[in-house]
Amino acid sequence: MISYQAEGVKMPNIKKRATTAWIRAVAATYGRKVGEVGYLFVDDERILETNRTYLGHDYYTDIITFDYDEGDTINGDLFISLDTVRTNAEKYNKPYEEELHRVIIHGILHLCGINDKGPGEREIMEAAENKALQMLNA
């Protein structure tokens, strides 16, 4: 089950059924099933608080992924800062909806085992995000 909640922000205008089907389809391309995945849309202050409390990081970010995977089933909680998504959309000259979907799937790709911190990993993640976005728009 995939759930979508907002805390301290207005729920983004996403098509939940279509987004859920897309997430399941992307996970399946990595041989994974979707178990319990919870999205929590928040503001910058909440993402900063979460980053400090759980990861010891003192900076804003667009998404924090908590991975509770079991075997080939992905499970996790994904915190998304809508403030940072909006800022990044402007910074990269992308539509807000596209950037939001990129971040939504970024967390799923992490749960599927794709990393983005090591050498060459960022490019692999970006390619996976682009491939997933093409699936959404197909």
Side-chain angles (χ1 to χ4, degrees), residues 50-122:
T50 302
N51 217 1
R52 286 175 175 158
T53 301
Y54 296 100
L55 302 175
H57 299 159
D58 191 23
Y59 55 80
Y60 298 100
T61 188
D62 50 2
I63 184 167
I64 297 173
T65 303
F66 294 98
D67 185 341
Y68 314 126
D69 287 0
E70 296 174 6
D72 66 351
T73 302
I74 62 172
N75 298 285
D77 289 322
L78 298 92
F79 286 63
I80 295 177
S81 170
L82 297 181
D83 294 336
T84 301
V85 168
R86 184 165 281 105
T87 299
N88 286 346
E90 292 169 7
K91 180 178 173 181
Y92 299 117
N93 200 26
K94 298 283 186 187
Y96 171 76
E97 296 295 324
E98 179 182 327
E99 188 62 21
L100 178 59
H101 282 100
R102 179 178 298 278
V103 175
I104 285 170
I105 211 62
H106 181 94
I108 296 300
L109 294 169
H110 273 310
L111 295 177
C112 288
I114 299 174
N115 296 311
D116 61 355
K117 300 290 186 222
E121 289 179 339
R122 180 71 226 153

